[in-house]
Amino acid sequence: MAQAGLHAAFGYQIQRIVPNERYLCPAVMFGAILPDIDIFLVAIGSIFYPISVSEHIFHRSFSHSLFTIMIVYLVFAIAAEWKKKPALKIIGKGLVLGILSHIILDTFFWFREIQLLWPLPFQPFDIWK
């Protein structure tokens, strides 16, 4: 969570690469911070488990997974088609770009493992090992 500013700044810089669409930049910035929501789950889980166990279960798991990225995009794409609002698809694309940038930054600048393929029973990914 201490890197939230770095993630938001990186998400803001992505606007130079991607096309200028109305809701894209705010969605990318929000998506870049969104995976750190697992910190709140660690706090709630620490009520029931020791903090180390809670951190192992919740931190950098579902919110840093490639499957979560696919689910987020699919939900927004289906909602855009169902509600006939193409802006929802743009928001979904922005969230996915932001979450992906967050995962990339955590992979290279954080020296801990990330469960990229959660919930599959594979070893967590750690580029520094």
Side-chain angles (χ1 to χ4, degrees), residues 63-107:
S63 63
H64 290 69
S65 173
L66 297 177
F67 293 112
T68 301
I69 290 175
M70 289 187 282
I71 290 170
V72 167
Y73 186 75
L74 282 174
V75 165
F76 277 89
I78 290 169
E81 292 297 321
W82 188 31
K83 297 284 188 179
K84 305 283 191 252
K85 294 184 178 182
L88 289 175
K89 198 167 188 178
I90 294 170
I91 293 170
K93 181 171 52 172
L95 287 174
V96 165
L97 286 172
I99 294 170
L100 191 60
S101 72
H102 182 105
I103 292 171
I104 291 169
L105 281 176
D106 275 1
T107 300

Side-chain angles (χ1 to χ4, degrees), residues 34-39 41 58-66 68-69 99 102-103 114-115 118:
L34 188 62
D36 281 337
I37 199 168
D38 59 5
I39 294 293
L41 293 175
F58 297 113
H59 198 48
R60 288 189 188 80
S61 59
F62 77 94
S63 63
H64 290 69
S65 173
L66 297 177
T68 301
I69 290 175
I99 294 170
H102 182 105
I103 292 171
I114 297 173
Q115 296 183 24
W118 179 91

